[in-house]
Amino acid sequence: YGARRIEITCQIEDAVATFEIGDQGPGFVPVKGCDNAASGRGLTLIDALSLSYRLLDGGRRISMRLALS
């Protein structure tokens, strides 16, 4: 896994930061109602802290919007 590239971008506009994080892993599809690491436990935290988020490219990228104020 050490040779895989991770890409992180951030755009700030109107007191909202939009982060996009992606990697070269296989991705995943979260299972609703399942609270374990393989099904995206971190998504529960992202959902609670962000204004919104989207999974992209089969779960290899995530885009999330966070309020700065």
Side-chain angles (χ1 to χ4, degrees):
Y1 294 105
R4 292 183 180 169
R5 191 172 101 186
I6 297 172
E7 191 172 300
I8 302 169
T9 61
C10 177
Q11 181 178 7
I12 298 174
E13 186 175 326
D14 297 329
V16 174
T18 301
F19 291 91
E20 193 167 296
I21 304 159
D23 65 29
Q24 295 175 322
F28 73 101
V29 175
V31 177
K32 291 188 186 253
C34 182
D35 192 26
N36 65 46
S39 293
R41 177 180 284 167
L43 294 179
T44 302
L45 180 59
I46 290 169
D47 187 46
L49 297 175
S50 69
L51 298 171
S52 64
Y53 74 91
R54 296 180 299 146
L55 294 177
L56 308 163
D57 294 338
R60 285 184 297 280
R61 285 190 308 134
I62 186 169
S63 176
M64 63 187 115
R65 298 174 63 240
L66 301 169
L68 297 177
S69 57

